[in-house]
Amino acid sequence: MSEAKPLLQIKGLKMHFPIYKGAFVRREVARVKAVDGLTFDVLEGETLGLVGESGCGKSTTGRAILQLYTPTEGEVIFRGEDLCKLDKATLHSRRKDLQMIFQDPYASLNPRMTVGDIIGEPLKVHKMATGNALLSRVQELMEIVGLDPRFVRRYPHEFSGGQRQRIGIARALTCNPKFIVCDEPISALDVSIQAQIMNLLEDLQREFGLTYLFIAHDLAAVRHISDRIAVMYLGNMVELATGEAMYDRPTHPYTRALISAVPIPDPEIEATRERIVLEGDVPSPLNPPSGCVFHTRCPFAWDRCKKECPQLKESEPGHFVACHLLDEPGREGALPPVDGNTTKQAVSASVDEE
Amino acid sequence: MSEEKLLDIKGLKTYFKTDEGVVRAVDGVSYGLKKGECLGIVGESGSGKSITQITVLGLIPQPPGFIAGGEILFKGQDLLKLKKKEMRKIRGNRISMIWQDPMTSLNPFLRISKQLTEPLMTHQGMSKEEAREEAIKMLEKVGIPGPRERFDQYPHQFSGGMRQRVMIAMALLCRPELLIADEPTTALDVTIQAQILELMKGLREDFGTSVILITHDLGVVAGMADRIIVMYAGRVMEEAPSQELFHRPSHPYTVGLLRSVPRLDKGKHSRLIPIEGRPPNVAKPIPGCPFADRCHWAQDKCREAFPEPVEFADGHRVYCWRAKEVHAANLGTHATPEHMDAVEAKIKAGGSIDVSDDATV
């Protein structure tokens, strides 16, 4: 892992959505700080999972990286170029390498286009193939994602949810991309179908050497598919680590609560797990709390957290945490126990390390 | 086991007439609920898990829906034979429901005070003032901060989690004997889900209400339910105490479900084993087991007739021709992937499991 080169470097990415008021003199009255300063790398060939609750800015991050939104601030460096600074035509040609799979397989496919047109459109747009070459490429792609190539002239409504998601995946693969943002690709699907799609994504990654940014709110699914996991809260990244480290040694108080909140399908484990139940709701991104955005719900918060915004720091090699507790581990005092069968010991171990 | 059943559903069939034919949404479902119990019902969308409970509440739109058979005994009284007026006295009073989506199940035009006092005034004959006090007390119990101040607000002024709390308060107002919760946490974020589940556990202890929890999330039922029913395509596949269901699943569908769900405590290397294919179209009559087409264990007889239940200890009931073999194969959460693969390979090759030899893992 440590030798892998970064494919994408995201530096200080900010995505603010201004809110205007006034009919004649439009003035900005507020800003929704959907993403507020993210810095991280996506390594070549990895799956980076991005988790967080609704409204934390995970989807906005994915879209801002792909330049579907114009970021307010920050850099997205891909092959030495800052995507945010490219002119339209150059950016257009770069889009071949950067693709997206959308959440809702019902809304993201044009109901008036046949499957063949949908999957083949990127080839036309980028003038990569026409006529028979295009058709055979489309059929090849359908085969790759597990759809019957004979259905090339059918319309999306003739397919089930899982099959539609396969169409969406085929479309993303059309131009042989390097990097794919998967924005909640399985959350609209039934459990038994979710496993099929996750396995397909894994197989494709192995076959074509893809790099994924896998965005989801389902922590179990993210843990299953990701090499590294980033946790977001209210537009900020609070923790970034390998899946194992994240589960065994969750360090940020929010990550601990999040992990303990995910139910595990085994009554024996459920009966012995301790849950950290966070008080209250996520504050509005219109008016995020000062200092650390999590301090309003954090059981350990003290004065410093209200004033000073913590930066991501390495707690152990490759494990980044944005929390002031890292500087003052003594403050944790009696740690609330963390869940999982092993995590209790793991937490005390991580405290010892600090 | 001899305890009186609070709810006993027997051979219930709820059908819908559509252009494509009669949709057998619920096709001969039988299960019971003991007093004070929490019963989990799991299944994928379209398995009929919600429709069964909507039938219990008498809320099936007729037409296009109709009840083609069966009975629903609530404390010995058949709910299907009740007049509309009599049913109205039970619904919201002795049986109440928490719906999935707290955004759409509260009336956006009415203050929550109105929505919360109405059932008390209708069912319990309380005066407006009494109802107000009672409702505020209930809001406090479900953990809404400043209930008196927020009492006259509209639903849109509450967050998703708070709205679900209002829904729970509303459902519990009349101290129902049975609470039906249909995916109560699906629309919520995990940390809020944890809050609501903890709340429901606490309230169950306080009020002694029996709960039917409908969900597609095996994790949620693992933590909440005493007993679990697994449904598929309008039929019950398996019924078992929670521990038993996870450790000794005896229906191939349950085994498949457990293997296809990613677990937070399992690492990246554990490959998911999806159930191939997809659920059948219930608009066509299925003579045999609806799962047969996706099942490695299926034999000819599986496609011909739906099996009678096979019973194991503790009311563990399985609707599968080969239940004894699946049970003996020991494919629960304790089994190693190697063991599961070995069994699967054997079955795919047409082999069978020796039932007398209660295989150990």
Side-chain angles (χ1 to χ4, degrees):
Chain A
M1 283 298 300
S2 51
E3 294 130 48
K5 277 183 288 182
L7 180 74
L8 273 167
Q9 289 172 291
I10 288 100
K11 290 182 184 164
L13 185 71
K14 282 188 186 176
M15 188 66 233
H16 294 179
F17 295 96
I19 294 174
Y20 296 105
K21 235 181 187 167
F24 300 107
V25 187
R26 258 163 63 94
R27 62 203 158 82
E28 193 184 307
V29 289
R31 276 172 167 227
V32 177
K33 295 178 178 171
V35 176
D36 205 20
L38 294 187
T39 301
F40 62 96
D41 292 346
V42 183
L43 306 178
E44 196 148 8
E46 80 166 342
T47 301
L48 178 66
L50 197 55
V51 286
E53 299 179 88
S54 45
C56 73
K58 52 190 192 300
S59 292
T60 309
T61 306
R63 287 166 180 247
I65 289 174
L66 294 186
Q67 307 297 312
L68 296 178
Y69 296 136
T70 313
T72 315
E73 236 183 272
E75 298 171 20
V76 178
I77 296 168
F78 176 68
R79 289 183 175 159
E81 283 174 316
D82 182 0
L83 295 179
C84 308
K85 296 208 177 73
L86 294 180
D87 61 85
K88 243 182 163 177
T90 330
L91 182 63
H92 178 82
S93 67
R94 297 295 181 271
R95 286 201 194 282
K96 275 185 284 192
D97 292 323
L98 310 158
Q99 289 290 325
M100 182 147 181
I101 298 167
F102 295 91
Q103 168 171 11
D104 187 346
Y106 293 85
S108 59
L109 302 176
N110 186 340
R112 293 176 175 230
M113 284 167 78
T114 64
V115 173
D117 290 340
I118 291 172
I119 299 175
E121 197 177 26
L123 292 174
K124 283 188 204 154
V125 169
H126 293 290
K127 302 192 175 67
M128 292 164 76
T130 47
N132 276 339
L134 189 138
L135 185 68
S136 64
R137 171 73 179 145
V138 166
Q139 289 183 326
E140 182 195 340
L141 282 162
M142 288 179 77
E143 204 129 7
I144 290 171
V145 298
L147 290 167
D148 190 334
R150 283 176 304 169
F151 296 163
V152 67
R153 288 193 210 297
R154 294 204 181 176
Y155 288 89
H157 74 264
E158 296 173 77
F159 294 88
S160 69
Q163 287 174 316
R164 283 168 189 233
Q165 202 54 291
R166 287 174 196 268
I167 299 172
I169 293 172
R171 174 179 62 183
L173 286 177
T174 309
C175 303
N176 292 319
K178 289 275 165 304
F179 175 68
I180 300 182
V181 173
C182 312
D183 189 3
E184 303 260 13
I186 54 165
S187 54
L189 308 173
D190 257 324
V191 255
S192 70
I193 311 295
Q194 285 188 353
Q196 295 176 4
I197 297 296
M198 280 208 279
N199 282 348
L200 174 66
L201 288 172
E202 284 180 310
D203 293 342
L204 294 173
Q205 179 169 48
R206 216 165 302 126
E207 206 174 322
F208 301 108
L210 298 169
T211 304
Y212 291 140
L213 181 68
F214 190 89
I215 301 169
H217 65 273
D218 180 353
L219 206 56
V222 169
R223 158 104 160 112
H224 175 83
I225 204 166
S226 308
D227 301 298
R228 295 192 305 152
I229 300 175
V231 180
M232 283 186 72
Y233 183 79
L234 215 62
N236 288 266
M237 192 173 285
V238 297
E239 191 159 353
L240 172 68
T242 61
E244 232 154 80
M246 189 71 85
Y247 181 71
D248 293 338
R249 298 179 293 281
T251 307
H252 195 281
Y254 177 65
T255 317
R256 290 186 211 165
L258 195 65
I259 287 181
S260 85
V262 179
I264 290 180
D266 189 333
E268 221 169 84
I269 295 174
E270 277 295 291
T272 54
R273 280 176 85 196
E274 293 279 345
R275 212 149 254 157
I276 305 171
V277 177
L278 288 177
E279 303 276 317
D281 288 310
V282 183
S284 159
L286 248 179
N287 190 12
S290 60
C292 171
V293 283
F294 185 58
H295 84 253
T296 51
R297 298 172 82 195
C298 181
F300 308 111
W302 73 97
D303 303 343
R304 186 179 169 197
C305 305
K306 288 176 193 155
K307 290 178 204 137
E308 203 183 314
C309 183
Q311 299 301 313
L312 276 179
K313 278 184 202 148
E314 225 166 5
S315 69
E316 57 181 319
H319 191 149
F320 297 89
V321 186
C323 181
H324 291 315
L325 276 175
L326 233 50
D327 306 332
E328 297 177 51
R331 288 218 174 241
E332 279 177 89
L335 255 182
V338 183
D339 75 298
N341 14 1
T342 55
T343 3
K344 259 185 209 172
Q345 300 92 307
V347 166
S348 47
S350 76
V351 173
D352 293 345
E353 276 165 35
E354 286 160 9
Chain B
M1 285 307 291
S2 59
E3 279 172 80
E4 191 203 345
K5 276 184 182 166
L6 182 70
L7 184 75
D8 200 3
I9 301 174
K10 287 182 181 167
L12 183 70
K13 292 179 177 177
T14 307
Y15 293 176
F16 291 88
K17 277 193 190 120
T18 69
D19 294 342
E20 287 168 52
V22 175
V23 171
R24 292 160 171 79
V26 175
D27 202 12
V29 161
S30 306
Y31 58 80
L33 171 77
K34 280 175 275 179
K35 231 180 147 193
E37 190 180 44
C38 178
L39 179 71
I41 303 184
V42 290
E44 298 174 69
S45 44
S47 62
K49 55 190 195 299
S50 297
I51 297 290
T52 314
Q53 293 312 318
I54 292 172
T55 316
V56 169
L57 288 163
L59 292 175
I60 293 292
Q62 304 188 21
F66 62 98
I67 315 267
E71 18 179 51
I72 300 170
L73 301 176
F74 179 63
K75 291 193 136 182
Q77 189 181 26
D78 190 351
L79 294 181
L80 293 175
K81 293 209 177 79
L82 290 184
K83 295 204 180 77
K84 271 192 179 164
K85 217 174 167 184
E86 293 168 315
M87 193 60 215
R88 220 175 278 161
K89 280 187 187 152
I90 291 181
R91 193 194 307 135
N93 188 21
R94 293 170 66 195
I95 305 179
S96 58
M97 186 137 182
I98 305 172
W99 304 95
Q100 170 171 359
D101 190 349
M103 313 289 161
T104 53
S105 43
L106 289 167
N107 188 332
F109 290 108
L110 299 178
R111 297 174 196 276
I112 64 155
S113 53
K114 172 90 179 153
Q115 302 187 53
L116 282 166
T117 50
E118 200 179 25
L120 285 171
M121 285 154 59
T122 326
H123 291 302
Q124 315 264 315
M126 283 188 187
S127 72
K128 206 172 177 182
E129 286 69 38
E130 283 170 331
R132 226 182 132 79
E133 283 312 305
E134 185 65 31
I136 290 175
K137 254 190 250 160
M138 190 54 83
L139 283 183
E140 204 170 349
K141 276 212 182 89
V142 297
I144 290 189
R148 211 166 280 277
E149 294 75 52
R150 306 202 70 174
F151 197 53
D152 283 309
Q153 291 186 341
Y154 288 93
H156 75 263
Q157 290 169 291
F158 291 81
S159 67
M162 284 296 152
R163 259 180 260 190
Q164 199 57 298
R165 283 170 197 264
V166 172
M167 283 293 301
I168 292 174
M170 196 192 288
L172 291 174
L173 273 175
C174 297
R175 311 283 154 113
E177 291 158 76
L178 172 61
L179 176 67
I180 299 169
D182 187 359
E183 306 258 11
T185 57
T186 308
L188 307 174
D189 278 318
V190 262
T191 60
I192 309 295
Q193 164 170 294
Q195 288 176 1
I196 298 291
L197 291 179
E198 288 297 314
L199 171 72
M200 285 180 62
K201 268 188 210 164
L203 293 172
R204 229 187 102 207
E205 278 162 26
D206 293 353
F207 295 113
T209 313
S210 312
V211 178
I212 292 181
L213 178 68
I214 304 170
T215 176
H216 67 275
D217 189 334
L218 286 164
V220 169
V221 283
M224 295 283 292
D226 304 314
R227 235 154 29 93
I228 298 173
I229 306 269
V230 180
M231 285 188 69
Y232 183 79
R235 299 246 193 201
V236 172
M237 298 275 113
E238 183 161 6
E239 170 183 354
S242 301
Q243 288 262 352
E244 179 85 359
L245 187 94
F246 285 93
H247 295 159
R248 213 67 196 271
S250 304
H251 194 289
Y253 177 61
T254 316
V255 174
L257 265 190
L258 289 174
R259 290 196 87 180
S260 66
V261 184
R263 284 175 56 156
L264 186 61
D265 55 340
K266 295 270 163 75
K268 186 176 157 63
H269 8 270
S270 63
R271 187 170 170 83
L272 300 178
I273 316 290
I275 303 175
E276 282 141 40
R278 55 199 173 101
N281 180 2
V282 284
K284 292 189 190 100
I286 303 163
C289 170
F291 187 59
D293 285 341
R294 300 172 80 186
C295 182
H296 299 313
W297 298 72
Q299 296 169 330
D300 289 344
K301 66 180 165 194
C302 299
R303 295 190 179 85
E304 283 153 18
F306 192 74
E308 288 298 312
V310 178
E311 295 230 15
F312 300 100
D314 290 332
H316 186 174
R317 210 166 284 133
V318 187
Y319 295 78
C320 176
W321 287 111
R322 302 183 73 182
K324 285 199 173 121
E325 286 177 67
V326 186
H327 189 77
N330 215 335
L331 299 170
T333 43
H334 289 324
T336 58
E338 293 77 34
H339 170 71
M340 301 235 227
D341 290 342
V343 171
E344 194 162 302
K346 193 170 171 189
I347 295 305
K348 269 186 186 165
S352 60
I353 303 289
D354 190 354
V355 181
S356 58
D357 160 43
D358 226 22
T360 40
V361 185

